[in-house]
Amino acid sequence: MKNLFLLATLTLGMACNNSKKEKAPGTGDTDTTTSPTENNTPASNNAAPSAGSASVMYSVADTARNLAGSVLVQKDKDKLSPGNDYLAVVTTNGSDGESFVLNFLFALKPGSYPVVGLSFTRNNQVFGGILGGKTRITNYKVNLTQCEDLGSNNLGGHKWKISGSVDEEVTIEAMAIMKMDKTHPADIKLNKIRFENLSFDDNWEEMLNKAMNK
């Protein structure tokens, strides 16, 4: 089991190193995207975030989590859902190697939008693709209750704040490589998924490219 987990971890490391030139994440176990940067990096412990701060909440095995969170947003190059031009990658990290990633497509307004990727890890268990994997529309929906334009970011775009939820239980299948270990659970279920006050820049990719060209 340890060897399998090390291989999965190595895959994650390689994926992150190549992230600048690969596709956005989704529900499979292949392609990855770049990780959130600057003030979008979530905390790596179980301390509850302060009121009004960026946070992600969910329950697993009837145990609630309330963690600092972040969101990375970029244009959906695959155009999986016409009119929903943006791909959001919501991430949070807890203690004991636990992390959760939720990917969904959306427009810059409140509404119901398709989930296109889910992943969850804890200790030596990996469910879903690395950072979500290859984008694919699922049967789950995100109810985006807030999408607020915070004004110019003084870098050619606007900064936004979003909040929302997945109002149903989700099932995340284990990665295929993890299923080689017969003791690894086939899937895991999460419910009561919510995120609040996550901020992003709508021209993040442009900002990144300018920074790389300097």
Side-chain angles (χ1 to χ4, degrees):
M1 180 65 214
K2 289 184 178 179
N3 291 336
L4 293 177
F5 183 71
L6 288 173
L7 181 56
T9 303
L10 178 60
T11 302
L12 172 59
M14 294 174 63
C16 290
N17 289 336
N18 293 328
S19 60
K20 293 178 182 177
K21 59 182 179 181
E22 295 192 5
K23 294 181 180 179
T27 52
D29 15 270
T30 53
D31 298 340
T32 63
T33 187
T34 48
S35 299
T37 58
E38 299 177 356
N39 64 342
N40 286 333
T41 304
S44 57
N45 55 58
N46 280 332
S50 59
S53 63
S55 58
V56 176
M57 292 138 280
Y58 60 90
S59 290
V60 57
D62 295 324
T63 303
R65 306 284 194 270
N66 184 4
L67 304 167
S70 66
V71 62
L72 171 72
V73 172
Q74 60 192 61
K75 289 292 186 70
D76 175 32
K77 299 178 178 64
D78 294 329
K79 300 185 183 302
L80 294 178
S81 180
N84 300 326
D85 297 328
Y86 292 88
L87 170 68
V89 182
V90 174
T91 63
T92 186
N93 296 313
S95 61
D96 300 324
E98 184 170 302
S99 66
F100 173 55
V101 179
L102 167 68
N103 302 343
F104 62 93
L105 303 177
F106 72 111
L108 296 175
K109 59 184 179 181
S112 179
Y113 297 105
V115 172
V116 294
L118 291 159
S119 69
F120 181 80
T121 63
R122 62 179 181 187
N123 298 323
N124 294 336
Q125 298 178 346
V126 183
F127 303 89
I130 299 298
L131 290 184
K134 187 176 181 180
T135 51
R136 181 182 64 191
I137 291 181
T138 71
N139 294 325
Y140 304 121
K141 298 287 186 181
V142 162
N143 180 27
L144 198 62
T145 56
Q146 177 193 39
C147 189
E148 180 181 355
D149 186 350
L150 301 178
S152 173
N153 60 8
N154 297 318
L155 293 169
H158 279 228
K159 185 172 288 291
W160 298 76
K161 182 166 65 174
I162 58 174
S163 300
S165 62
V166 178
D167 299 325
E168 59 186 316
E169 183 177 73
V170 303
T171 299
I172 310 176
E173 297 286 334
M175 288 184 66
I177 191 173
M178 306 310 291
K179 289 183 179 180
M180 294 173 62
D181 180 358
K182 301 304 181 183
T183 65
H184 192 288
D187 58 48
I188 196 165
K189 300 181 186 300
L190 276 66
N191 54 35
K192 300 178 182 177
I193 299 169
R194 301 196 338 266
F195 52 90
E196 296 179 351
N197 303 312
L198 304 185
S199 63
F200 67 91
D201 297 284
D202 58 14
N203 63 335
W204 180 86
E205 289 176 289
E206 179 183 341
M207 292 163 57
L208 177 63
N209 290 333
K210 287 182 178 179
M212 292 176 60
N213 290 331
K214 287 183 178 180

